[in-house]
Amino acid sequence: MTKSKRMHWKIMFKMTRVSAAVLAVLGGISASSVLAQQQQLERVEVTGSSVRRIDAESALPVMVLKREDIERSGATSTVDLLRRVTSVQGATGEASSVGGATFGFSGVSVHNIGETRTLVLLNGHRLSLFGGQTLTGFAAGFDLNAIPVSAIERVEVLTDGASALYGADAIAGVVNFITKRDLSKGDLSVGISKPDGGAEEKRFSISKGFGNVAADGYNLMLAYAHDERTQLLSSARSYGKTGLIQFEHAGKRYQFKQFSQSPIPANATNDAGLLFSPYLKANGSCPEKTFRITDAGGDYCGYDFVGDLEIYPERKRDSAFASFTKRLGEHELFADLLWSKTEQTSRIAPVPGNITIAAGSALHDKYLKPWGVTGDSTAAYRLFDMGKRTNNDTAKFFDLSLGVRGAFAGWDYNAGFTHSKSDVAGVTSGYPGAMAVGRLRASGLLDPFVGPGKQSAEAMKAIAGTNYVGYWDGGVSKLTTAELRGSRELLQLPAGPMLLGVGVNLSKEDFASKPSLFAQGLLSDPVAGTIATKPEDRDQRFGDASAKGPYSAGRKLRGGFAELVIPVVKGFELGTAIRYDRFSDFGGTTTFKESFRWTPTSNLLIRGSLGSGYHAPTVSQINSPLQAYGVTSDKYDCSDPNAPQLAAMAKSLGVLCHPGSKQYDQLAGGNPELKPEKSRQATLGVRFEPTKSVTLGADLWWVGITDAFGQLPEQLVFGNPQAYASSWGKQTDVGTGKTYLAFKADNRNLGKAYHSGIDLDFATRMKLAFGDWNSQFTATYMIREDQQQLKDGPYNSAIGDYSKALGVVTFRVTGRWTNTLKAGPWTHTLGINFKSGFKDQEKTVEVLDASGKVTGKETIRLDVGYYATADWQTGYELNKSFVFTGGVLNLFDKNPPLSISTSGANRGQPFGYDPRYYDPRGRTVYLNGTYKF
């Protein structure tokens, strides 16, 4: 991959006249060198500009991944592909669905500035946001799973934001997927990928084109792709199979325990409100799949839920793409249609929850009274015999683009209509109603103090009868747009033509949240679907309360822009653009972009830009009602003497603290007072070509954001409860009737944020005696990342440091070095991927002596080392029809580095490494075969 400013070639121009220039530019030859060789080139569109022009390099930095780059990367999806782009980091990945309500969403974030601030385009037009977006703004981006990698001709990543052409909300940058088109040949591909122990993939794709626009006046291209992947169990990975980890740090031996306080058999509270395990009391040790926990909350058994996870979910995808182009003189009619369906299944440990054990009951007298418990008790129990909690998520995507383009009265124009829709539905199983479990306990059938499989046959049948299997939640997002763009030469100046680009657009955005009646808390019998006639009969999920209401909202947008490219003197030009957008719910805003491009010599380019941006909150962030929003990612203990404010906050609200160390319920909702984010962006870059076979480039970038919206991180609020009094609420457990302290993750304008860094690239090529060698290196170095969590509050950074305030890590350096040797029919590629290290989340751990005995506790921070992997691929072209490719990803089977972090934004439940940043599949062998016809 190389840096280039070239954007998509329009089909209406003859590709044969410009293909040599394109290949030369992408291979490392300067724009001026190309112009010297090509007397006359057709005009093209440039990323971040509405003006068609000849020059390949312009004022804004764009990275282009060509089709051969995609094939040589070994990536089997757009998610995997963009992971290899060094300027991309911090996006949600597939592992986040393991224990997280993501519906399988995978996004893209340029420079870790945010996937909601990174604009994704398909063939230059905007797409609807994900239908599974949440009321906090999470997943309010485009789901990469919707675009099949087999249909992509190239990907262009603009690492400067707020394009006047596409909209002012592209603060972090733009990712534009360009699909194959105007092809008359056919392509049939099959492939398999096989990691060790799971996550095996099988894939198939076929495409065929008919007609040629230049020769026949039309082209029709059809494509279909299908792939399947099996699950990967946490037990298949030594570093991720258990929540009990022993390790060395700074010359000492430690252990850390990641657990749930709800095991099987159950823990229970004593008269002092502390947890204890009747099983541990009776047997002197904890049962299978648990380990002993002694803390301020009691002496009990913690459940090792990590071993039950499937850390890479099972997935199946289908997609179809059709493109039709018809030439009518100087004009072209075009139509593109994309449909995709992704089905993902993720499984986690059986559901935990609380059950009331009344004093004097048979269970109380049998299991609790012998250990001195005289009053009512709460059992922390895991309903193991119901089986794992399973989410079956389906995300359907549809995109239709219709239009006409051509030349008229001296203008190059493009008029289009687009409509896209993301429809997401989640089906669950393994979740009973809390009241239903309470009725089982009251009937005497359910015994929470016996082990797995020890219930009576009648009880097992009754447990199965309370299992809710069906639709749980989902949503639909739509975007409809009509737009007209045009460009022309305005007038001839001594240094060249002044170019003008203009455009207008009308858009309508809609979103509907569609929770089931069970998710709304409206059923008295979830399995039977019986609607409750009285509020007190409304059941909710056992251990995971939810009473979220449906809502729908939308907005309309009108926009217009104008752009000028002005050649001042030979080799130096200025660009200026202004855009006006008017939102139906936020009013009007004006943004701008200024840029320059200077070529003092034929092999040196200096460029820069300054612009502004405007990002309105999603309709969900504004309009959704306050409702239950899952649980905190980390566990907290009100009994901890080091955290007395937590108990004081619960007392001030007249609610209870959970006993022991436990995740707390979360609340979230829309905020009508939320203000849009505003930004400033700037870049300064240089490209130098000392020879025709060597290219070097560097782009310094800076982004400043005011009124950044988000939620206060839970660690920040739990660490100082009194300082964030407005971030607390309460939630009633319908199973026990007790009301507990809850964390309110509401939408806020948090303050300012500043990001800066340098994107570097180097490319060289040479002819050797045994073949042609190409070497490409790209890297991103993060200079600054300062973000406020309160207006006028202190700044926090996550560069090389797990930030308690931000809940994420930003890697100081990411890099990729790719070397390709082509010798006859053989093509060999070696890729090296690199991430720098970071300081892990601060954790209190147990100190071990030489015999493994716990001698005390310490608070430490691990140093998570740098991470480098190697990918190898060999391709063989048997003839013009058959191509075979084999390779190995993570050639040396490098395990992710040890991390004992347990919380953070979109982390999911895997433990022992951070699944947001490292791929657990390990060494993966793959084989692809392609037949061209």
Side-chain angles (χ1 to χ4, degrees):
M1 25 182 133
T2 60
K3 289 271 186 172
S4 174
K5 189 64 190 70
R6 183 170 297 277
M7 191 55 171
H8 52 283
W9 299 97
K10 293 300 183 180
I11 298 177
M12 65 180 293
F13 298 117
K14 293 182 180 180
M15 297 296 293
T16 56
R17 299 181 61 186
V18 297
S19 58
V22 176
L23 295 176
V25 171
L26 297 181
I29 300 210
S30 68
S32 54
S33 300
V34 173
L35 292 177
Q37 298 171 32
Q38 294 286 109
Q39 294 299 314
Q40 184 175 0
L41 301 179
E42 301 291 357
R43 286 173 290 177
V44 299
E45 268 190 18
V46 178
T47 299
S49 174
S50 61
V51 173
R52 285 183 184 166
R53 57 186 309 165
I54 294 174
D55 306 70
E57 288 282 358
S58 190
L60 303 180
V62 177
M63 174 174 284
V64 178
L65 285 79
K66 301 172 292 181
R67 183 64 210 175
E68 52 263 45
D69 295 322
I70 297 171
E71 292 172 349
R72 292 171 185 171
S73 71
T76 59
S77 68
T78 53
V79 178
D80 289 341
L81 176 65
L82 290 182
R83 277 185 175 182
R84 291 161 169 78
V85 178
T86 58
S87 58
V88 171
Q89 63 166 306
T92 304
E94 291 178 279
S96 296
S97 64
V98 181
T102 71
F103 294 103
F105 173 80
S106 293
V108 56
S109 172
V110 172
H111 295 142
N112 203 19
I113 298 174
E115 53 204 4
T116 62
R117 300 177 183 134
T118 300
L119 178 61
V120 177
L121 305 172
L122 179 64
N123 295 321
H125 68 266
R126 299 174 70 104
L127 302 162
S128 65
L129 300 181
F130 187 55
Q133 62 183 280
T134 70
L135 48 87
T136 64
F138 167 71
F142 179 74
D143 180 23
L144 296 179
N145 290 298
I147 299 180
V149 72
S150 59
I152 300 172
E153 178 62 27
R154 65 186 181 278
V155 184
E156 297 155 343
V157 182
L158 167 64
T159 54
D160 180 39
S163 163
L165 177 60
Y166 302 118
D169 57 348
I171 291 174
V174 178
V175 178
N176 191 7
F177 292 96
I178 309 299
T179 56
K180 300 175 182 178
R181 58 180 63 248
D182 200 13
L183 300 176
S184 58
K185 295 183 178 180
D187 186 298
L188 173 64
S189 296
V190 294
I192 58 171
S193 296
K194 188 174 176 57
D196 181 42
E200 298 179 6
E201 291 188 21
K202 298 178 182 178
R203 51 192 171 272
F204 162 83
S205 67
I206 185 170
S207 63
K208 182 68 174 74
F210 305 90
N212 178 274
V213 175
D216 306 314
Y218 78 96
N219 176 258
L220 172 65
M221 199 200 79
L222 304 173
Y224 169 76
H226 173 83
D227 67 82
E228 297 183 9
R229 184 184 64 207
T230 63
Q231 77 271 32
L232 175 63
L233 302 176
S234 61
S235 57
R237 295 293 179 261
S238 60
Y239 52 81
K241 66 181 182 181
T242 178
L244 178 59
I245 290 182
Q246 296 185 351
F247 59 93
E248 291 185 359
H249 173 69
K252 291 185 178 181
R253 188 77 179 165
Y254 298 99
Q255 76 176 8
F256 183 80
K257 298 171 181 174
Q258 171 70 329
F259 64 93
S260 166
Q261 65 170 216
S262 299
I264 180 171
N267 294 315
T269 55
N270 59 22
D271 290 343
L274 300 178
L275 281 175
F276 77 101
S277 168
Y279 184 97
L280 174 62
K281 289 279 191 182
N283 296 278
S285 63
C286 285
E288 186 182 1
K289 298 179 73 69
T290 70
F291 33 75
R292 188 170 183 173
I293 304 297
T294 303
D295 58 22
D299 183 10
Y300 53 99
C301 297
Y303 186 77
D304 187 0
F305 65 87
V306 177
D308 290 337
L309 301 178
E310 296 179 2
I311 56 177
Y312 227 68
E314 179 182 342
R315 186 192 65 206
K316 182 170 69 173
R317 289 186 300 210
D318 290 276
S319 61
F321 178 75
S323 173
F324 178 74
T325 306
K326 174 65 177 177
R327 188 180 62 193
L328 299 173
E330 293 295 315
H331 313 278
E332 281 185 356
L333 299 176
F334 63 89
D336 292 340
L337 176 65
L338 172 66
W339 172 87
S340 67
K341 178 181 179 182
T342 302
E343 298 174 276
Q344 179 174 285
T345 302
S346 58
R347 302 174 182 88
I348 57 176
V351 63
N354 293 332
I355 299 175
T356 298
I357 308 297
S361 67
L363 290 174
H364 182 279
D365 290 346
K366 181 177 180 180
Y367 295 105
L368 306 183
K369 188 175 181 179
W371 309 112
V373 180
T374 60
D376 293 345
S377 176
T378 300
Y381 177 57
R382 187 165 299 269
L383 201 55
F384 190 89
D385 294 312
M386 184 167 283
K388 290 183 177 182
R389 287 168 285 174
T390 302
N391 289 330
N392 294 283
D393 300 316
T394 301
K396 298 178 182 178
F397 181 75
F398 170 86
D399 179 69
L400 173 66
S401 176
L402 304 171
V404 58
R405 58 198 169 209
F408 178 75
W411 288 84
D412 292 325
Y413 74 91
N414 189 318
F417 168 85
T418 61
H419 175 74
S420 57
K421 176 182 177 181
S422 174
D423 189 344
V424 173
V427 172
T428 65
S429 63
Y431 289 95
M435 289 183 177
V437 174
R439 288 192 291 270
L440 270 182
R441 189 270 311 158
S443 70
L445 287 175
L446 178 65
D447 186 344
F449 298 106
V450 298
K454 301 298 184 181
Q455 303 285 344
S456 67
E458 187 179 1
M460 292 291 281
K461 183 179 179 180
I463 290 171
T466 64
N467 184 12
Y468 176 81
V469 181
Y471 174 75
W472 171 251
D473 198 3
V476 177
S477 178
K478 300 177 183 178
L479 178 66
T480 303
T481 300
E483 63 178 347
L484 173 64
R485 304 196 306 264
S487 67
R488 65 172 298 161
E489 294 182 5
L490 191 61
L491 57 93
Q492 187 69 34
L493 298 177
M498 178 186 294
L499 305 176
L500 170 68
V502 295
V504 293
N505 65 274
L506 298 172
S507 299
K508 188 175 188 298
E509 177 186 353
D510 295 287
F511 177 75
S513 175
K514 298 185 175 182
S516 65
L517 293 176
F518 188 18
Q520 294 178 52
L522 297 178
L523 300 180
S524 61
D525 186 339
V527 175
T530 306
I531 297 177
T533 57
K534 296 182 292 184
E536 59 267 27
D537 292 335
R538 295 174 179 174
D539 206 353
Q540 295 181 30
R541 283 206 307 201
F542 178 63
D544 183 16
S546 175
K548 57 184 301 186
Y551 65 92
S552 61
R555 64 161 59 110
K556 295 179 181 179
L557 171 66
R558 303 193 304 270
F561 70 88
E563 179 182 13
L564 281 176
V565 177
I566 308 167
V568 180
V569 296
K570 186 176 181 180
F572 183 81
E573 68 179 29
L574 295 175
T576 182
I578 189 168
R579 181 178 185 90
Y580 179 77
D581 290 295
R582 185 163 190 84
F583 296 82
S584 59
D585 50 357
F586 281 100
T589 182
T590 300
T591 52
F592 72 92
K593 171 73 76 175
E594 309 292 341
S595 63
F596 77 89
R597 177 183 182 274
W598 180 36
T599 52
T601 64
S602 62
N603 61 353
L604 177 64
L605 167 68
I606 300 173
R607 61 189 177 193
S609 68
L610 175 66
S612 63
Y614 181 94
H615 182 206
T618 67
V619 293
S620 300
Q621 287 176 293
I622 303 166
N623 297 287
S624 61
L626 183 67
Q627 56 194 252
Y629 189 68
V631 295
T632 59
S633 59
D634 218 342
K635 299 186 293 293
Y636 301 93
D637 191 348
C638 262
S639 304
D640 189 342
N642 296 318
Q645 290 187 28
L646 195 58
M649 178 57 66
K651 184 177 180 181
S652 70
L653 295 176
V655 297
L656 300 173
C657 273
H658 287 286
S661 183
K662 183 177 174 59
Q663 293 171 294
Y664 275 67
D665 288 315
Q666 285 189 142
L667 304 172
N671 179 3
E673 304 301 318
L674 203 60
K675 295 186 293 184
E677 298 176 332
K678 297 180 181 179
S679 69
R680 290 288 187 269
Q681 296 87 228
T683 63
L684 181 62
V686 60
R687 300 198 63 75
F688 178 56
E689 297 171 355
T691 71
K692 290 184 178 181
S693 60
V694 176
T695 300
L696 303 96
D699 288 285
L700 174 67
W701 55 269
W702 175 90
V703 177
I705 303 171
T706 58
D707 291 323
F709 40 71
Q711 298 76 40
L712 293 179
E714 64 177 71
Q715 289 180 298
L716 191 68
V717 176
F718 276 86
N720 194 353
Q722 299 298 332
Y724 305 100
S726 63
S727 293
W728 297 103
K730 52 189 177 180
Q731 183 79 342
T732 299
D733 185 332
V734 298
T736 63
K738 296 180 179 180
T739 301
Y740 294 98
L741 184 68
F743 167 58
K744 189 187 297 182
D746 52 346
N747 295 305
R748 303 184 178 200
N749 290 108
L750 300 179
K752 298 178 180 178
Y754 298 98
H755 307 259
S756 65
I758 301 176
D759 293 330
L760 304 166
D761 69 280
F762 168 82
T764 185
R765 61 182 183 181
M766 64 180 65
K767 287 187 176 293
L768 304 174
F770 45 83
D772 296 332
W773 174 63
N774 287 271
S775 182
Q776 298 174 331
F777 173 79
T778 60
T780 294
Y781 181 87
M782 303 293 291
I783 298 173
R784 182 188 184 192
E785 180 192 70
D786 291 318
Q787 301 183 56
Q788 291 178 315
Q789 298 302 294
L790 288 173
K791 187 175 182 179
D792 301 322
Y795 286 91
N796 302 277
S797 176
I799 296 180
D801 190 335
Y802 182 100
S803 170
K804 177 180 179 181
L806 303 177
V808 296
V809 171
T810 299
F811 291 93
R812 174 75 72 179
V813 180
T814 57
R816 180 172 171 85
W817 183 27
T818 304
N819 291 272
T820 299
L821 177 64
K822 184 171 178 55
W826 296 93
T827 301
H828 308 284
T829 301
L830 174 65
I832 306 295
N833 312 287
F834 176 82
K835 284 185 173 75
S836 56
F838 62 91
K839 281 280 190 182
D840 200 14
Q841 181 181 8
E842 184 178 83
K843 283 293 181 182
T844 299
V845 297
E846 295 175 331
V847 183
L848 304 179
D849 62 16
S851 66
K853 182 180 178 181
V854 176
T855 60
K857 294 184 178 181
E858 290 183 11
T859 300
I860 66 170
R861 298 192 72 189
L862 289 179
D863 292 312
V864 180
Y866 73 87
Y867 186 67
T869 60
D871 303 330
W872 175 267
Q873 183 188 95
T874 292
Y876 179 69
E877 188 174 353
L878 180 64
N879 51 43
K880 292 184 178 181
S881 297
F882 290 95
V883 177
F884 299 96
T885 304
V888 183
L889 303 177
N890 195 351
L891 182 62
F892 302 107
D893 201 22
K894 184 74 175 293
N895 287 340
L898 173 66
S899 168
I900 56 173
S901 66
T902 57
S903 63
N906 310 322
R907 191 187 183 284
Q909 290 189 4
F911 177 69
Y913 69 103
D914 200 317
R916 296 173 294 182
Y917 312 123
Y918 305 103
D919 190 335
R921 287 176 290 186
R923 181 190 291 124
T924 301
V925 179
Y926 65 90
L927 179 66
N928 299 317
T930 300
Y931 170 62
K932 300 179 180 180
F933 57 95

